[in-house]
Amino acid sequence: MTASAPPDCAAVERYLLDLQDRISEALAEEDGSSAFREDAWERPGGGGGRSRILEDGAVFEKGGINFSHVHGETLPPTASATRPELAGRSFQAMGVSLVMHPRNPYVPTSHMNVRFFIAKKPGSEPVWWFGGGFDLTPYYGFDADVHDWHRAARAACAGFGDADEDAAALHARLKAACDQYFYLKHREEPRGVGGLFFDDFNAWGFERSFAFMRSVAEQYLPAYQAIVQRRKGTPYGERERAFQTYRRGRYVEFNLVYDRGTLFGLQSGGRTESILMSLPPQVSWRYDWRPEPGSEEARLYERYLVPRDWLAVSK
């Protein structure tokens, strides 16, 4: 780990609270008809958070933006699964996590999360790391939207990297990590078109690693708002709505089976309502359903739910 100033948990918390405030305000204004309802909560084992939920809006059928800062005497299994040497340490975990489920099927669902962990043991140096990223889940694909989303992901990496890995290589690695993470193995398909994903991130020292987390977080809002504004007025009917609720089922499957944040929250005794706020309000499953060949629904699978270098695709 690169030598640097010791971790400043208070600075991370201040940033995350401000981030939640700014994104909440901007997306409520984007919706125009509904506001986020705040629900402050405390965790019996230590810490708490504030959940903000928007429901039944004009643009967003449901959206949640959570801040949490929890602590405890022992790391949950999901946090130490890849680093068993940390088992038994006390911990603090804080982050902002959001999922926005649009009403219009032509507007994609989006997810963003940034987080900080620190684990301590008497007589040892604290072990800390950042994690997070953002990803996009369209129901009907548009090259321009996906291109711009990945351009924002590349911009988040600009100015970072080191002698062993420049910014372009960093972006390529974190894009690949996102594609790998947001993959439904039991369906053999990705959840969406990806973005960025990073975890156990501390090699640059605290200050620069924190700066990178902020860079990722700051790219989310302008990138997603531009897509929302571009697509929210697109006419749609029952067919598009039915496909949207069907594809939302994949979102539910991923979050309940694979998502580390969901598993960490449940295992650490977090607030269940806040942890599961990411689930969409209306979902459907159809037995062995297949899209009609040549349809826009089939095009989602054929063009968008496949590995692709979107920055090499002309808008």
Side-chain angles (χ1 to χ4, degrees), residues 7 11 19 31 52 57 62 69 82 97 108 120 145 166 177 181 187-188 193 212 232 240 250 274 294 312:
L19 178 69
D31 186 87
R52 291 180 178 168
K62 182 184 177 185
H69 183 181
T82 60
S97 181
K120 296 181 179 181
D145 295 352
D166 63 15
Y181 180 69
R187 298 285 190 181
E188 297 185 342
V193 296
F212 179 70
K232 66 183 181 180
E240 291 85 359
R250 300 295 201 263
S274 298

Side-chain angles (χ1 to χ4, degrees), residues 56-273:
D56 200 26
V59 175
F60 301 111
E61 192 173 6
K62 182 184 177 185
I65 305 177
N66 287 345
F67 164 81
S68 63
H69 183 181
V70 301
H71 53 84
E73 294 303 315
T74 305
L75 275 168
T78 52
S80 58
T82 60
R83 304 179 67 170
E85 73 277 11
L86 301 183
R89 290 188 178 224
S90 63
F91 74 95
Q92 291 187 63
M94 64 184 84
V96 166
S97 181
L98 71 87
V99 176
M100 301 303 298
H101 291 292
R103 183 175 297 280
N104 189 319
Y106 288 99
V107 181
T109 285
S110 71
H111 160 259
M112 190 274 288
N113 169 265
V114 285
R115 56 192 180 273
F116 175 70
F117 285 82
I118 185 167
K120 296 181 179 181
K121 181 180 180 180
S124 301
E125 288 293 315
V127 177
W128 55 266
W129 61 89
F130 289 94
F134 50 71
D135 67 289
L136 194 71
T137 306
Y139 306 98
Y140 291 91
F142 296 91
D143 283 13
D145 295 352
V146 184
H147 181 278
D148 287 353
W149 184 255
H150 283 281
R151 191 160 57 88
R154 181 176 61 187
C157 299
F160 292 93
D162 52 35
D164 297 322
E165 181 183 55
D166 63 15
L170 174 68
H171 168 252
R173 177 166 64 87
L174 300 188
K175 177 190 182 298
C178 188
D179 291 341
Q180 181 179 25
Y181 180 69
F182 291 105
Y183 186 80
L184 288 84
K185 301 178 185 68
H186 63 286
R187 298 285 190 181
E188 297 185 342
E189 65 183 47
R191 186 171 83 172
V193 296
L196 288 178
F197 178 81
F198 65 102
D199 205 1
D200 297 324
F201 207 86
N202 59 16
W204 297 335
F206 175 77
E207 293 175 348
R208 196 155 181 249
S209 298
F210 183 23
F212 179 70
M213 186 204 80
R214 297 196 304 270
S215 181
V216 171
E218 296 299 329
Q219 287 294 331
Y220 164 78
L221 182 61
Y224 187 53
Q225 272 195 291
I227 296 171
V228 172
Q229 291 166 4
R230 193 181 293 156
R231 306 298 171 198
K232 66 183 181 180
T234 305
Y236 66 93
E238 292 183 6
R239 174 179 177 142
E240 291 85 359
R241 178 66 170 168
F243 185 60
Q244 179 193 46
T245 60
Y246 172 75
R247 287 298 308 171
R248 281 175 173 177
R250 300 295 201 263
Y251 213 92
V252 172
E253 291 175 20
F254 180 88
N255 280 27
L256 295 183
V257 176
Y258 301 113
D259 187 74
R260 294 178 193 170
T262 300
L263 298 176
F264 174 83
L266 295 174
Q267 290 180 0
S268 63
R271 184 170 181 266
T272 302
E273 286 298 312

Side-chain angles (χ1 to χ4, degrees), residues 276-294:
L276 298 183
M277 67 86 192
S278 63
L279 302 183
Q282 300 291 331
V283 189
S284 66
W285 278 268
R286 296 185 239 172
Y287 180 76
D288 199 26
W289 181 84
R290 307 296 173 89
E292 179 184 344

